[in-house]
């Protein structure tokens, strides 16, 4: 099984691979977004925008000690949710 970091790198050349990350994180992201926004509709929109941002900026991600893809992507999700909340 490929790591998230490997998938995001390969998705830059094979966009269909990004679906692997969506499958891995969609339910978790939606749960977190609903907790922040308290709205199913807003949470769904925020999660969709989050995946777009992750895809657009995926080439900028580099896995380092203490910096996982998961933490990076959750930070993007949280910031996106706060943008929706304001």
């Amino acid at each position: 099984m490929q790591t998230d970091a490997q998938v995001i790198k390969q998705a830059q050349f094979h966009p269909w691979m990004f679906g692997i990350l969506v499958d891995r994180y969609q339910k978790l992201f939606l749960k977190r977004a609903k907790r922040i926004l308290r709205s199913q509709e807003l949470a769904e929109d925020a999660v969709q925008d989050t995946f777009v941002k992750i895809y657009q900026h995926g080439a900028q991600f580099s896995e380092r000690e203490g910096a996982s893809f998961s933490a990076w992507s959750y930070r993007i999700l949280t910031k996106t949710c706060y943008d929706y909340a304001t």
Side-chain angles (χ1 to χ4, degrees):
M1 185 164 129
Q2 295 180 325
T3 67
D4 296 335
Q6 291 169 330
V7 173
I8 194 69
K9 295 279 186 230
Q10 292 178 3
Q12 301 303 309
F13 303 103
H14 307 287
W16 64 268
M17 291 191 73
F18 192 75
I20 295 169
L21 294 175
V22 173
D23 291 344
R24 287 182 188 173
Y25 286 95
Q26 187 166 16
K27 287 181 184 179
L28 298 169
F29 280 7
L30 192 54
K31 185 176 179 181
R32 168 85 50 97
K34 283 192 325 192
R35 220 176 312 138
I36 294 169
L37 296 168
R38 301 176 191 244
S39 164
Q40 178 73 27
E41 186 176 312
L42 286 177
E44 289 172 359
D45 290 346
V47 168
Q48 183 176 1
D49 283 351
T50 297
F51 280 121
V52 169
K53 291 175 184 178
I54 290 171
Y55 183 77
Q56 288 175 334
H57 301 287
Q60 296 173 359
F61 174 76
S62 62
E63 197 166 38
R64 296 178 295 244
E65 188 174 330
S68 67
F69 174 83
S70 177
W72 179 74
S73 63
Y74 272 101
R75 189 171 61 242
I76 294 170
L77 173 66
T78 302
K79 288 181 180 182
T80 302
C81 286
Y82 288 148
D83 288 345
Y84 271 78
T86 57

